[in-house]
Amino acid sequence: MIRTDENIGKTPERNTLVIKLDRDRPDPEKLSFCANVIKRGGLVCFPTETVYGLGASAFDPEAVKNIFRAKGRPSDNPLIVHIDSSDKLPLVCSGGPEQLEKLDLLSKAYWPGPLTVITDRDPAVPDIVSCGLPTVGIRMPDNLIARELIRLSGVPIAAPSANLSGKPSPSTAEHVIADLFGRVDVIIDGGPCDVGVESTVLDITGDVPQILRPGAVTLEDVVRVLGKGELPDWKKSPKEGESPRSPGLKYTHYSPDAEVRIYDGKDVDVIRMAVAREAERLTAEGVKTGVFTTLEGAEYYDGDKLTVIAAGTRDDLITVTHGLYAALREFDKRGAEVVLAEAFPQEGVGNALMNRLFRAAGGCVINADQQN
Ligand code: TXA
Ligand code: MG
């Protein structure tokens, strides 16, 4: 079933097996089978609490190379190494006492959980995992299937999100199947992911911990545990000649086929008025238009003429992040050409939500205050 040798340097075609597992009580035999695929250099997609990952043994450079090939991922965008317990840290991290102390505090507070920590890389982790960087991203996922898979494999698992490069990350097994069926050995179906957007990426190699990618663990959470931290303005693109701290940041990720435009403004009613008016104008022009809103916003829009998708509630933004990527994929499925998205407050987990929306929109933000 695993066809690594004949695939090297050629097409990423594989016979894919889809295996359903209970997220609370995964069948041990089926899990052992999946772990054996990892041990033999194969590719296994698995659920985590954030999004699905596309995994291979982090210590097998050839298998890791196949991850890049299966996703069509640029070869300078490093992968996160997933561990099942803190005992495995010395295998991958070579940070000094200062880093280890920070890592200890963070892991006690947020692992297992949606936090990836960038530390100095142990030479045992092959160059290809970190694309030659001296650092490595490490994460312990809060999902039993994921942790059992890593434990039974006996090695840390390198895994990016299990989508084709440039597509929204997968928050259900169906999304993974749509993108990667025929390109990986196994897809584990463990149900929908809880968080729905990728982990917070936190670099602790410098004096002040820096959030390179906002996620469900917020800046406030980091400062509470480490005493300091920074979230650089992710709306600014790096200056000419300047390389971003996290290579992934330079790519237009998370974009659906539809053109996404964000409507921001001081107040949500003003935002909705501007969205409704523009949606009406576009529809009159014959443009298939979608609207991204929340449950309380759905009634403002004409569901007969528009593709209206409501995710979660403004009272709890994690519920909106939960539905974001599924919504972006659904707009494409329903043939929306332009999607008008309501903006959300950039506070706490709202940073993660707006960061992903901003990228899906290629930075297109319209000020609703000036439209009315
Ligand atoms: O929630 C998640 O993080 C998911 C699940 C599967 O764990 N994984 C994920 O991986 O989102 P990926 O590859 O799609 O995103 C990893 C991000 C990229 O932006 C990459 O550039 C950054 O982490 N990254 C990884 N290693 C890094 C390093 N050593 N230094 C700086 N950035 C790093
Ligand atoms: Mg990704």
Side-chain angles (χ1 to χ4, degrees), residues 50 53 73 77-78 80 82 118 135 139 160-161 198-199 213 246 248:
T50 56
R73 185 177 175 98
N77 193 3
I80 294 169
H82 297 71
I118 309 286
T135 54
R139 172 162 124 76
S161 48
E198 308 86 341
S199 62
R213 178 175 73 182
S246 185

Side-chain angles (χ1 to χ4, degrees), residues 3 14 22 24 55 61-62 68 104 146 172 264 275 327 331 367:
R3 299 168 32 193
R14 282 157 192 252
D22 186 308
D24 300 318
E62 211 51 63
F68 285 87
D104 185 50
T172 67
D264 204 353
V275 169
F331 282 123
N367 186 341

Side-chain angles (χ1 to χ4, degrees), residues 205-276:
T205 60
D207 179 35
V208 181
Q210 295 247 335
I211 293 186
L212 305 183
R213 178 175 73 182
V217 172
T218 64
L219 177 63
E220 295 73 29
D221 294 331
V222 170
V223 172
R224 196 177 315 123
V225 170
L226 297 182
K228 52 187 170 181
E230 272 176 12
L231 171 58
D233 183 2
W234 41 261
K235 280 188 179 153
K236 281 198 199 123
S237 39
K239 295 192 192 85
E240 196 71 35
E242 197 180 78
S243 64
R245 299 264 315 264
S246 185
L249 300 180
K250 70 179 179 219
Y251 298 105
T252 327
H253 270 138
Y254 322 119
S255 39
D257 298 333
E259 180 192 325
V260 181
R261 300 177 200 160
I262 302 171
Y263 278 72
D264 204 353
K266 278 195 221 73
D267 129 16
V268 69
D269 291 327
V270 175
I271 292 177
R272 285 180 186 143
M273 257 152 59
V275 169

Side-chain angles (χ1 to χ4, degrees), residues 58-59 81 88-96 99-100 119-130 133-138 156:
F59 290 157
V81 172
K88 296 236 170 76
L89 273 176
L91 296 176
V92 290
C93 163
S94 68
Q99 274 184 34
L100 291 180
T119 72
D120 291 340
R121 170 167 62 104
D122 191 279
V125 178
D127 275 354
I128 186 170
V129 171
S130 290
L133 291 174
T135 54
V136 61
I138 312 168

